[in-house]
Amino acid sequence: MSHDAPLGSGGVLGLRLSVSLGLWQDRPAEEALATARAADALGYPSLWVGEMATYDAFALATAIGLATGRIGLTVGPLAVTVRDPMTIAMGAASVAALTGRHVDVALGTSSPLVVEGWHGRSRARSAAALRESVEALRPMLDGERSAFTGGSVASNGYRLRLPAPRSRLTVAAFGPSAVRTAARADRMVLNLITPASAGRLAAQVRALNPEVSVAAWVSAAVDPGREAVDRIRRAVVGYLPAPGYGEMFAEAGFADVVAYARTGPHPRDLLAAVPDELVASVALLGDADTVAARLAAYAEAGVDEVALVPVSTDRDPAGTTTLQTLAPRRPVP
């Protein structure tokens, strides 16, 4: 595949390419808007707008909708133990009404650092909260009055006064419980995933519901420099000892690194022990042909959509060069 060939919107085995904001914590926060503008101008059909430590997701999605021309929006994954269904429905309807864009919603359980540390909330029964949030949210997003009481989530008597956004629901999944919940939604999204693991999870969710589409967030840097690889490395390192993720990396050929990570080394030492090849196992790194081959691997595994997470660096601020190279179409001069 030549450097100028479009890779998205059918360019690789019918794979759909979208964009997800990286929200890189060691880069200027306002680069998120630059990434969004580039994705819109280059013809990507949709943009995932999450949140970390800077902008509120609904506020950022509204700003993006007002600063771009046509790109669709997926807000999330939002932590269901932090945001209740009523606030999520109101937020999605607000963004849709203020921007005139279609707005989808993604849900997840987030991490103990975010939920318990930053928000001071409990993650107990988070799997149940995820399942119940999907059940509670769908009628609300369609404009119906809420009428749901579960063991972890409840909303009764609320109806949107804004036009119903009729959002598709996406569930961030990795473990078996979240995959079962994703089967009740419209789409499952996977993060930090090898093609082999993505294929297994895609098969699991489709065995439960063949209509569910599968997306994968994959960090991307075309012709990366050292800064880009190291930025992904820092994002990966915390997952190495985690149950499930460690086994995934071991299967990919890095059992020694996983074993070392589980001894509890200083983060600096663990970071130094992570080889570039491990980083590349869950990312799109290399020249255009190499990235095209990696995208094909995700497509062949059963992934319907790859959400490119462009790595922002001094050499490629906001990841715009990477987005340009992988764009589904070239911008009109």
Side-chain angles (χ1 to χ4, degrees):
M1 182 173 294
S2 72
H3 184 83
D4 292 325
L7 303 187
S9 297
V12 177
L13 303 178
L15 186 69
R16 182 176 188 264
L17 292 187
S18 58
V19 176
S20 177
L21 300 178
L23 303 176
W24 306 101
Q25 295 191 65
D26 50 356
R27 295 292 300 178
E30 60 271 19
E31 284 188 335
L33 280 167
T35 299
R37 290 191 193 98
D40 181 62
L42 290 164
Y44 289 92
S46 61
L47 179 75
W48 299 68
V49 184
E51 61 186 9
M52 273 295 293
T54 53
Y55 301 115
D56 170 89
F58 291 118
L60 179 56
T62 300
I64 288 168
L66 297 175
T68 56
R70 43 151 297 281
I71 198 164
L73 303 170
T74 295
V75 180
L78 301 166
V80 296
T81 49
V82 173
R83 292 187 187 263
D84 61 76
M86 182 263 182
T87 61
I88 294 172
M90 180 187 290
S94 298
V95 176
L98 291 168
T99 66
R101 301 296 171 79
H102 179 76
V103 177
D104 290 325
V105 171
L107 305 176
T109 57
S110 195
S111 67
L113 170 65
V114 172
V115 174
E116 298 174 352
W118 294 1
H119 289 279
R121 303 285 186 89
S122 172
R123 284 187 83 251
R125 294 181 54 80
S126 59
L130 184 61
R131 181 180 67 253
E132 292 173 3
S133 292
V134 169
E135 189 171 349
L137 259 175
R138 192 180 293 281
M140 296 171 71
L141 292 167
D142 288 340
E144 299 176 21
R145 189 180 302 277
S146 64
F148 182 84
T149 300
S152 301
V153 167
S155 179
N156 289 279
Y158 176 73
R159 175 178 286 162
L160 291 170
R161 294 187 63 188
L162 295 169
R166 303 192 182 281
S167 309
R168 290 191 307 163
L169 277 175
T170 299
V171 169
F174 188 77
S177 177
V179 171
R180 289 193 295 272
T181 296
R184 302 183 179 194
D186 302 297
R187 181 172 53 175
M188 177 174 72
V189 64
L190 310 168
N191 182 36
L192 203 72
I193 197 86
T194 63
S197 289
R200 281 193 296 272
L201 292 169
Q204 289 170 20
V205 77
R206 290 192 177 115
L208 299 169
N209 182 355
E211 300 303 314
V212 172
S213 64
V214 177
W217 283 7
V218 189
S219 297
V222 176
D223 297 326
R226 187 76 258 159
E227 182 186 0
V229 176
D230 286 345
R231 183 150 286 118
I232 303 173
R233 173 182 282 104
R234 287 192 291 273
V236 166
V237 71
Y239 288 84
L240 290 171
Y245 283 101
E247 284 68 25
M248 178 188 74
F249 284 115
E251 178 192 49
F254 306 102
D256 55 337
V257 182
V258 173
Y260 177 58
R262 289 176 170 172
T263 67
H266 190 283
R268 179 185 60 248
D269 297 329
L270 179 56
L271 186 67
V274 176
D276 289 355
E277 292 79 9
L278 185 151
V279 177
S281 72
V282 290
L284 302 168
L285 296 173
D287 61 20
D289 289 341
T290 300
V291 169
R294 288 287 293 166
L295 285 168
Y298 283 100
E300 290 165 1
V303 173
D304 303 300
E305 172 188 350
V306 166
L308 304 171
V309 187
V311 182
S312 177
T313 63
D314 289 342
R315 193 171 75 177
D316 186 14
T320 55
T321 299
T322 286
L323 292 182
Q324 172 77 40
T325 303
L326 304 180
R329 63 171 171 79
R330 296 304 183 206
V332 177

